[in-house]
Amino acid sequence: MARFLKDVSRTFSEYLLIPGLTTKECVPSQVSLHTPLVKFKKGEKSDIELNIPFVSAIMQSVSDSNMAIELARNGGLSFIFGSQSIETQAEMVRKVKKFKAGFVVSDANLKPDNTLQDVLELKEKSGYSTIGITHDGTSTGKFLGIVTGRDYRPSRDNIDTKVEEFMTPFAKIITGELGISLNEANDVIWEHKLNALPIIDKDQHLRYFVFRKDYDSHKDNPNELSDSSKKLLVGAGINSRDYKERVPELLEAGVDVLCIDSSDGFSEYQKETLEYIKSSYGKNIKVGAGNVVDKEGFRYLVDAGADFIKVGIGGGSICITREQKGIGRGQATSLIDVAHARDEYYKETGIYIPICSDGGIVQDYHMVLALAMGADFIMMGRYFARFDESPTRKLMVGGNYVKEYWGEGSNRARNWQRYDMGGSENLKFEEGVDSYVPYAGKMKDNLDITLGKIKSTMCSCGATTIPDLCKNAKITLVSSTSIIEGGAHDVILKEPNL
């Protein structure tokens, strides 16, 4: 007979936080959200610490280089998705490591012999109105000109007109030389009333753009997550199939941390992957593993050498693993169980293994619950997929703007390695869906609101750090009736003014 667990499989929505004493010192401005990403010994610090407890999910529809740059600038970290070629993933890592605040690599480029039709299609696809014209149409080709919305009239101009006929040519463009400081570049922009300043090297190759609209964001980012060389930190997802080929390319590109991406991490394949990476490249290479939902899975991967553990199976908004295979566990119950195992391991060995809560976040207060239940940081997909910085298209559906969002277990992702059970056949059934999420705008605007809620809730719990919260928070189960009581009820809501 199977072994039956006594614990009920519970979700975050079944719990509430009980207020603690809010002292005069316990105000949002005094709250620290710093948290360790990778394991460390007692009395030491983690080699990588996040400034906010958020990482973005290892998904095609969430974590590319643009998301990684913006999240790192705001204190978190992205794991660039691994369900792509080794070369393109490594290039995304390089783009993040080469990023310089305020200096933007041009993602919209054409050649002089392209047409106005190409300009319009590129603008529609990328959303960018400033297009660099280079000899080969690449972001680093010889810079020949620039096209903006002021250079053409779609309603009147012939769409077959060559770009070279209406672009602003190089001879008429004010440029900056590679090596110019951001302050100097901004001074040139303001002095000459420019909207964009192309930065070129000594061979006239385009290297960056500096934009007037980004001026405000050029100010110091107090939460920016960077290394000693002021390069942004970035992670990358790997699988247990092609890691021998993928890992060296990612390391060469400068990746800071790796994470084995699997729906079920309690496997010999992950053990072999961890042991190979550690033996081949040294224990200083940071590798997370998972996902697991209990003590046994946690201890297995920790013993194999994992630097952090991801917790959660089937709790993601686009994940249907529980429906399809009947495996998983409520996210809250999983997290509580693994957090106990983490604390036991720390007492036994003096080594602290951070755990990541992956899935199950519906409301912002669920994030605080996850941290109070023992998570060191939280991985989210749906939350980040809504923003401008995610790689998916923004569409109008039913009169509302949405962004595409699909799971790595969907046929669209075709990421069969993530669900690999050791056979030779590819994905036969889906464990994720293809969907939309409501469009929410820029990441920073939304992130500031979310972090404000977290800090305010922590103050109500009498905590100013994540360890304080985890140690002192009081949590209670809620009934279905009290959940109803917690929302608006027994009133007639006013219709919003249109």
Side-chain angles (χ1 to χ4, degrees):
M1 177 180 281
R3 180 160 53 109
F4 288 83
L5 303 184
K6 294 181 180 180
D7 292 335
V8 177
S9 181
R10 298 191 182 278
T11 69
F12 292 132
S13 292
E14 296 178 78
Y15 294 92
L16 284 175
L17 292 151
I18 301 295
L21 175 64
T22 302
T23 65
K24 293 180 180 179
E25 291 75 28
C26 196
V27 293
S29 61
Q30 298 297 318
V31 173
S32 169
L33 296 178
H34 289 213
T35 191
L37 180 75
V38 295
K39 67 184 178 184
F40 58 95
K41 293 180 180 179
K42 187 175 183 179
E44 298 180 358
K45 288 183 62 177
S46 174
D47 286 345
I48 302 177
E49 290 189 338
L50 301 173
N51 293 328
I52 62 172
F54 292 167
V55 298
S56 64
I58 310 170
M59 300 173 68
Q60 294 175 5
S61 56
V62 179
S63 297
D64 66 352
S65 53
N66 290 329
M67 175 62 69
I69 289 170
E70 189 63 17
L71 186 50
R73 294 192 72 195
N74 284 278
L77 183 133
S78 289
F79 287 92
I80 291 176
F81 69 94
S83 52
Q84 59 178 317
S85 72
I86 296 172
E87 293 75 21
T88 55
Q89 188 186 24
E91 186 54 38
M92 285 187 182
V93 171
R94 287 191 188 91
K95 184 175 180 181
V96 179
K97 300 307 292 186
K98 290 179 180 178
F99 175 82
K100 296 170 66 178
F103 292 87
V104 180
V105 175
S106 179
D107 285 331
N109 306 282
L110 291 172
K111 296 184 292 184
D113 59 357
N114 283 115
T115 65
L116 177 56
Q117 179 68 37
D118 296 323
V119 171
L120 298 176
E121 290 177 356
L122 181 58
K123 181 180 179 181
E124 176 67 23
K125 179 181 178 181
S126 67
Y128 300 130
S129 58
T130 299
I131 298 173
I133 308 303
T134 60
H135 80 288
D136 58 0
T138 69
S139 61
T140 57
K142 187 173 182 180
F143 184 55
L144 301 178
I146 192 171
V147 170
T148 70
R150 295 176 299 181
D151 294 317
Y152 57 86
R153 294 179 296 177
S155 60
R156 297 189 181 185
D157 295 342
N158 188 331
I159 61 173
D160 293 324
T161 305
K162 298 289 186 181
V163 166
E164 59 189 356
E165 296 181 30
F166 61 87
M167 72 180 187
T168 302
F170 177 76
K172 295 183 178 181
I173 299 174
I174 296 172
T175 62
E177 294 185 9
L178 186 64
I180 189 174
S181 71
L182 187 57
N183 287 336
E184 292 170 336
N186 281 321
D187 287 343
V188 173
I189 287 174
W190 283 93
E191 180 182 351
H192 295 278
K193 300 181 179 180
L194 306 175
N195 287 322
L197 178 69
I199 307 299
I200 60 174
D201 63 20
K202 58 182 178 61
D203 297 318
Q204 200 179 312
H205 287 180
L206 179 62
R207 298 299 296 273
Y208 303 104
F209 276 109
V210 177
F211 292 98
R212 172 185 285 264
K213 65 181 179 64
D214 290 336
Y215 176 75
D216 289 338
S217 68
H218 294 168
K219 299 175 183 178
D220 291 339
N221 292 284
N223 282 331
E224 186 173 271
L225 189 67
S226 56
D227 59 22
S228 58
S229 301
K230 301 302 180 183
K231 293 182 179 180
L232 299 180
L233 298 191
V234 62
I238 60 174
N239 61 66
S240 56
R241 278 280 182 159
D242 65 5
Y243 58 91
K244 292 183 181 179
E245 296 77 34
R246 189 174 294 270
V247 169
E249 293 298 319
L250 293 172
L251 293 177
E252 191 277 331
V255 74
D256 298 287
V257 58
L258 303 168
C259 184
I260 307 172
D261 183 31
S262 173
S263 65
D264 177 11
F266 193 4
S267 75
E268 290 185 343
Y269 302 106
Q270 288 215 9
K271 181 175 184 289
E272 290 177 357
T273 303
L274 287 164
E275 290 176 344
Y276 176 84
I277 294 173
K278 296 292 185 176
S279 63
S280 299
Y281 302 103
K283 294 184 178 181
N284 287 331
I285 302 301
K286 311 302 182 184
V287 190
N291 288 19
V292 300
V293 294
D294 62 6
K295 175 181 178 178
E296 292 176 70
F298 171 83
R299 291 299 290 253
Y300 183 82
L301 293 178
V302 169
D303 290 342
D307 290 288
F308 68 84
I309 301 293
K310 281 207 297 155
V311 180
I313 294 178
S317 60
I318 42 71
C319 184
I320 54 174
T321 295
R322 296 178 194 173
E323 290 182 14
Q324 293 282 52
K325 297 172 65 174
I327 67 167
R329 199 179 193 186
Q331 187 65 17
T333 304
S334 302
L335 188 55
I336 293 168
D337 195 6
V338 174
H340 282 313
R342 185 265 320 278
D343 294 344
E344 288 177 4
Y345 186 84
Y346 183 56
K347 289 179 181 178
E348 292 174 15
T349 65
I351 298 174
Y352 187 90
I353 310 291
I355 57 176
C356 168
S357 180
D358 179 15
I361 301 294
V362 180
Q363 307 293 340
D364 284 355
Y365 80 88
H366 290 168
M367 302 174 192
V368 187
L369 277 168
L371 297 172
M373 289 175 178
D376 295 280
F377 57 98
I378 303 164
M379 177 173 280
M380 295 182 289
R382 181 190 61 85
Y383 179 85
F384 289 112
R386 305 172 300 143
F387 302 147
D388 286 325
E389 293 81 5
S390 75
T392 62
R393 294 183 299 168
K394 182 176 74 172
L395 305 170
M396 177 74 79
V397 176
N400 297 304
Y401 281 111
V402 297
K403 293 207 74 176
E404 295 176 303
Y405 181 47
W406 60 90
E408 289 298 293
S410 66
N411 279 323
R412 179 170 184 174
R414 303 185 65 82
N415 185 10
W416 64 271
Q417 293 98 331
R418 188 177 197 270
Y419 300 85
D420 179 34
M421 299 298 288
S424 59
E425 297 181 346
N426 289 359
L427 192 65
K428 292 298 185 184
F429 60 90
E430 292 185 284
E431 292 186 46
V433 298
D434 197 345
S435 64
Y436 301 113
V437 290
Y439 169 66
K442 293 184 179 298
M443 178 199 295
K444 186 171 180 58
D445 296 339
N446 289 273
L447 195 58
D448 286 346
I449 294 172
T450 296
L451 295 175
K453 288 182 183 179
I454 291 174
K455 291 179 178 181
S456 179
T457 304
M458 288 174 62
C459 288
S460 293
C461 294
T464 57
T465 67
I466 293 174
D468 284 346
L469 177 71
C470 191
K471 180 180 178 181
N472 300 315
K474 295 176 289 185
I475 299 175
T476 182
L477 277 168
V478 296
S479 68
S480 57
T481 306
S482 68
I483 292 175
I484 296 173
E485 180 186 60
H489 61 90
D490 301 318
V491 295
I492 300 172
L493 296 178
K494 294 181 179 180
E495 293 293 330
N497 294 325
L498 300 178

